[in-house]
Amino acid sequence: MNGETESWAIKGVGGGDIPGLAIPAFTLRRPAGAPIPVVIAAPHGGRAYPEALTDRMRDPAFASLRLEDRHVDRMADAVAAATGAALLVAHAPRAMLDLNRAPEDMDWSMVSDSAPPGTRHSAANRRARSGLGLVPRRLPGLGEIWKSRLTTAELDARVAGVHRPYHAALAETLEDVRDRWGAVLLIDLHSMPPLGLRHPGDRPTEFVVGDRFGASCSHRLSATALDWFARGGRVAVHNRPYAGGYVLDRHAAPARGIHALQVEICRTSYLDARLAEPSARFGSVARTLASLVRTLAADVSLMSGSRFPLAAE
């Protein structure tokens, strides 16, 4: 798995480190002058697996395919390249550490030694109890992911090498672009398995736009995104079943001009029948999202009182 070099070959500045691999935990690309007030992040696209990690997985092929937002890093790269948006892409896999979870969002029964003093027990956290905390534990169809427990030292190394520097880089980038434009929009890009149809004859949902039920961005931006999908004949829903997670909770600050949306793409829209590799539809979805980004960027620039530069078109 660690031979899939395209996942960390995106040109930019690498940061952090993946314990067990001589590879940056993420890449940050910031075009000179911040040509549009948008930052795209892909926290769940990483595919750089240390051998020590896969050796401890009960079924690494099954678990990795279901945990990853498969090839969404490549989608984010294509959209950012087409629009001039800043880009932050994780290379560390979600199996190692979930960047969309808080550091304390941990099921401590997965750790062989005791939790640090004062640590909140995972019973207080629904995601950790469900098996999808800071380090994922269980998956439907597989059960337990791991053959053995990890140590506190191993967990600390993952937080220090991956989680902390990733979120520091994202926070700094958002502040810088906001300072340049007066406002900024983070698009946290994810992919999702196909959603079930609520009623016979319904069209499948292609996108979910999440804004923490109005807390992470201006209503105007959410409405623009949903209206844009509808006008393009794309089926998109709002906050159900994905409203956004830790990334939006930590970084969104609409009162300070930092807005954030989570956008989920149905994997059938851009992957093959196995949901493993890009399909012929990949380019079309990338163009769709690039057009959405340009539309949202224009709205953000108007909100901030700036003029959206024609070059970004």
Side-chain angles (χ1 to χ4, degrees):
M1 289 186 193
N2 59 5
E4 294 191 29
T5 54
E6 77 277 7
S7 66
W8 57 82
I10 294 168
K11 292 182 179 179
V13 177
D17 63 86
I18 300 175
L21 279 181
I23 293 169
F26 60 86
T27 293
L28 173 63
R29 187 170 73 212
R30 296 175 57 176
I36 68 171
V38 176
V39 177
I40 299 172
H44 286 168
R47 299 188 299 283
Y49 291 82
E51 186 175 353
L53 187 74
T54 55
D55 284 347
R56 292 165 71 168
M57 300 172 77
R58 292 180 54 227
D59 189 338
F62 180 97
S64 61
L65 195 60
R66 282 152 183 79
L67 284 170
E68 292 172 13
D69 286 351
R70 188 72 171 169
H71 293 298
V72 82
D73 56 331
R74 294 173 61 179
M75 182 67 69
D77 182 28
V79 175
T83 60
L87 175 69
L88 180 64
V89 169
H91 309 311
R94 186 183 182 189
M96 172 175 281
L97 182 138
D98 191 332
L99 288 161
N100 203 24
R101 301 290 184 267
E104 64 271 15
D105 190 356
M106 183 68 194
D107 182 344
W108 285 97
S109 65
M110 298 175 63
V111 181
S112 59
D113 39 350
S114 60
T119 299
R120 186 179 66 176
H121 193 271
S122 60
N125 192 288
R126 178 179 59 82
R127 281 180 173 149
R129 294 199 313 273
S130 73
L132 291 175
L134 180 67
V135 177
R137 177 173 183 170
R138 290 183 295 272
L139 282 172
L142 177 64
E144 294 286 333
I145 296 171
W146 306 102
K147 299 174 184 176
S148 60
R149 294 189 290 175
L150 70 162
T151 67
T152 301
E154 289 173 317
L155 180 60
D156 288 347
R158 297 179 189 186
V159 172
V162 181
H163 197 281
R164 196 173 298 138
Y166 178 93
H167 285 285
L170 181 53
E172 180 181 2
T173 301
L174 290 169
E175 294 280 352
D176 287 352
V177 177
R178 189 277 316 273
D179 290 349
R180 159 73 172 83
W181 281 90
V184 63
L185 173 64
L186 166 64
I187 297 179
D188 203 45
L189 196 61
H190 295 257
S191 71
M192 62 184 181
L195 300 178
L197 300 180
R198 299 184 64 181
H199 305 287
D202 282 354
R203 292 171 57 199
T205 298
E206 295 179 83
F207 302 93
V208 178
V209 177
D211 61 6
R212 302 302 283 162
F213 301 99
S216 69
C217 78
S218 162
H219 170 74
R220 170 178 174 171
L221 296 174
S222 301
T224 293
L226 292 164
D227 179 67
W228 189 92
F229 281 127
R231 286 188 289 108
R234 301 282 193 166
V235 180
V237 297
H238 192 202
N239 284 322
R240 304 287 187 182
Y242 305 109
Y246 173 74
V247 171
L248 268 58
D249 288 341
R250 172 166 176 171
H251 295 284
R256 297 197 300 110
I258 300 176
H259 303 267
L261 287 173
Q262 179 174 290
V263 176
E264 297 268 0
I265 317 164
C266 182
R267 291 170 191 161
T268 60
S269 297
Y270 71 97
L271 295 176
D272 60 16
R274 292 181 54 245
L275 303 183
E277 299 300 328
S279 71
R281 299 181 297 277
F282 184 97
S284 173
V285 173
R287 289 189 292 274
T288 293
L289 291 173
S291 183
L292 172 66
V293 166
R294 294 187 190 100
T295 300
L296 289 169
D299 261 15
V300 174
S301 68
L302 289 173
M303 291 166 55
S304 68
S306 301
R307 182 179 177 182
F308 188 57
L310 295 177
E313 298 291 339

